[in-house]
Amino acid sequence: MNAISPPMPPSLWAATAPPAPPTTALAGDARTGVVVVGGGFTGLSAALHLAEAGVPVTVLEAAEIGWGASGRNNGQVIPTLSRLDPDQIAAAVTPEHGGRDKGEELVGLIRDSAAFTFDLIRKHGIDAEAVQNGWIQPAHREGRLRLSESRAEQWGRRGAPVRMYSRAEMAALTGTDHWFGGWGNATGGRINPLGLARGMAAAAMRAGAIVHTASPVTGIEKGPAGWQVRTPGGTLTADRVIVATHAYTGDFWPGLKRTIVPVRSYQMATSVLSDNIRKTILPEGHALSDTRGDLYFYRFDANGRLVTGGGLIVPVGWDSRIRARITDRVRRVFPQIGEVTFDYVWWGYVAGTADRMPHVYELAPGVLSWTGCNGRGVALGIALGRELAKASNGTPLKDIAAPVETRLRTIPGHAFRAIGIAWNVAKLRRLDARD
């Protein structure tokens, strides 16, 4: 391990994922067709699709494959945005970025993103504990069923395989009467996210991509021979660049870091549950995240651990506080579980945008990036990676399945983001108590 590369933080995924393919840091100067900055889902998807198209591509990852959000999340594969529905997504795309048609293309990309992710896993034989049994979103208050009905109607109108569930049906699917019904999408599911990232890296390398870890980018600038991407160990010169660092974006491109707010997402995994208890919780293997703003979310791993998590208003003393908070939550939602022991507790950043929308940027001619997973980055990041690969291989920007902007949407008061995060979490908890 290169001294500048921190080890993978302890987590359930780090303990259970297959090992990453062997990689080294960039040493010296070289040329490639496309430089991809960031070895997470978006960057690896872009590299894989470029390599399969025969384009010379090199990935520069600051630490390890999947070291950022891609290797630390809950591993739910969800074909929606977190708090925006299709009509809102389509309406949010302004005429200067393609208007409603381009908005509907983005909706279609999101709709198909989970199916695309699982197809990619099957195509490349990736060992990622992939289970495509569907994703469900139960309503945490009876009044939220109207929201569930609206979401199911909007996605169903656009061809998504969705359905509503009664309270009794949701109780059977979840193993608890905590919720009031809800809706779901059959294309969703769950994965070991670090296993998926490492498997995508291996697939990209088999296709011809070069992957360098322990190679943080310190600068990107235009030179006479193309774009020059600098690291402590060397420089890559390329015709095009894809920046896929998201919540872990550094200072190498002016203003990009200020388009997002990194938010801590805490993840936890119980000890392995007995078969008798395991069969009474999410018995059909669904991934679940409910209608709360301060989400309740649950899924199982391959060994029978319940994987969940939550948020905190402030991170002080986070380990003991999140353990206590989520222990109480799990006992209330699934009383049959009895004593709760968490063997793994970890966290990572997700990237939030002011309008809760994803944004694809042309930072300069030949340089693309995107921000704004807003907590739904697994399927969305992989699908957008394919689109960024197309745009870096000659497809006109107007023809990819997402609007492309040239002006960065920086967040006012970004320096005070910690206060904003605390306020927002508190606000979501208040709203969760209302219909």
Side-chain angles (χ1 to χ4, degrees):
M1 179 67 64
N2 190 294
I4 63 173
S5 177
M8 195 69 202
S11 70
L12 172 64
W13 312 132
T16 58
T23 55
T24 60
L26 178 66
D29 299 338
R31 184 171 186 95
T32 188
V34 180
V35 174
V36 176
V37 184
F41 290 142
T42 302
L44 295 171
S45 175
L48 174 57
H49 287 91
L50 285 166
E52 288 184 319
V55 177
V57 57
T58 301
V59 177
L60 296 176
E61 163 57 41
E64 295 184 44
I65 295 300
W67 189 85
S70 295
R72 307 193 202 191
N73 62 80
N74 192 256
Q76 295 197 29
V77 185
I78 303 174
T80 70
L81 293 188
S82 58
R83 290 199 292 272
L84 293 178
D85 300 324
D87 290 352
Q88 295 170 300
I89 298 167
V93 178
T94 61
E96 67 178 295
H97 302 126
R100 187 169 182 84
D101 289 345
K102 184 55 68 175
E104 289 292 349
E105 286 186 51
L106 178 59
V107 170
L109 179 80
I110 297 166
R111 177 199 62 211
D112 299 335
S113 60
F116 175 72
T117 296
F118 283 108
D119 286 346
L120 183 145
I121 291 169
R122 287 186 283 264
K123 175 182 176 181
H124 295 282
I126 296 174
D127 182 4
E129 300 179 18
V131 177
Q132 194 178 13
N133 280 13
W135 167 76
I136 52 177
Q137 186 178 55
H140 75 281
R141 295 178 66 84
E142 190 170 13
R144 291 293 173 94
L145 284 172
R146 292 190 295 272
L147 177 63
S148 301
E149 291 166 353
S150 176
R151 287 176 172 170
E153 186 279 326
Q154 290 182 47
W155 284 111
R157 186 175 1 117
R158 292 167 169 88
V162 299
R163 60 160 294 186
M164 286 291 297
Y165 296 98
S166 68
R167 183 166 191 175
E169 289 173 321
M170 189 61 76
L173 289 178
T174 62
T176 177
D177 62 1
H178 177 80
W179 291 288
F180 291 83
W183 73 290
N185 186 314
T187 65
R190 52 190 170 89
I191 43 90
N192 179 320
L194 183 58
L196 177 54
R198 289 174 172 175
M200 290 174 66
M205 292 167 72
R206 288 194 299 270
I210 297 171
V211 177
H212 290 297
T213 51
S215 301
V217 169
T218 58
I220 302 173
E221 61 184 23
K222 185 72 171 177
W227 288 101
Q228 293 184 316
V229 184
R230 299 189 305 275
T231 75
T235 300
L236 280 176
T237 301
D239 300 319
R240 294 180 178 271
V241 179
I242 296 173
V243 177
T245 47
H246 215 233
Y248 291 79
T249 297
D251 295 318
F252 51 79
W253 194 276
L256 183 60
K257 190 174 181 178
R258 293 188 287 113
T259 65
I260 53 172
V261 173
V263 180
R264 280 195 184 195
S265 177
Y266 297 91
Q267 307 296 330
M268 317 169 68
T270 67
S271 57
V272 176
L273 302 184
S274 70
D275 287 343
N276 288 339
I277 294 176
R278 168 69 184 87
K279 291 174 182 177
T280 70
I281 299 173
L282 296 170
E284 296 185 25
H286 288 84
L288 178 158
S289 54
D290 73 2
T291 51
R292 289 176 170 90
D294 184 16
L295 282 179
Y296 284 26
F297 52 93
Y298 305 95
R299 46 75 53 98
F300 276 96
D301 79 336
N303 296 314
R305 299 179 188 274
L306 186 64
V307 190
T308 180
L312 294 172
I313 293 178
V314 292
V316 177
W318 67 270
D319 188 276
S320 61
R321 291 174 57 229
I322 199 68
R323 285 179 187 271
R325 182 175 183 81
I326 304 305
T327 294
D328 177 69
R329 180 183 293 182
V330 171
R331 285 175 175 168
R332 283 187 287 106
V333 175
F334 301 111
Q336 67 268 42
I337 202 170
E339 291 299 315
V340 179
T341 302
F342 287 107
D343 288 351
Y344 298 92
V345 180
W346 70 99
W347 62 270
Y349 287 115
V350 298
T353 50
D355 60 0
R356 300 176 293 184
M357 282 279 288
H359 295 281
V360 177
Y361 294 113
E362 185 185 33
L363 301 177
V367 183
L368 297 173
S369 184
W370 86 281
T371 61
C373 73
N374 293 286
R376 294 284 167 85
V378 177
L380 178 60
I382 291 172
L384 278 173
R386 176 193 60 188
E387 299 306 300
L388 295 175
K390 289 179 182 177
S392 298
N393 191 28
T395 298
L397 293 178
K398 65 181 180 61
D399 292 335
I400 68 170
V404 180
E405 306 171 57
T406 56
R407 180 181 60 83
L408 290 177
R409 297 184 182 228
T410 55
I411 297 174
H414 189 266
F416 303 100
R417 59 191 178 275
I419 298 173
I421 292 168
W423 169 258
N424 190 57
V425 174
K427 176 184 175 182
L428 290 174
R429 291 179 182 174
R430 291 195 304 272
L431 292 175
D432 286 340
R434 297 160 47 187
D435 288 338

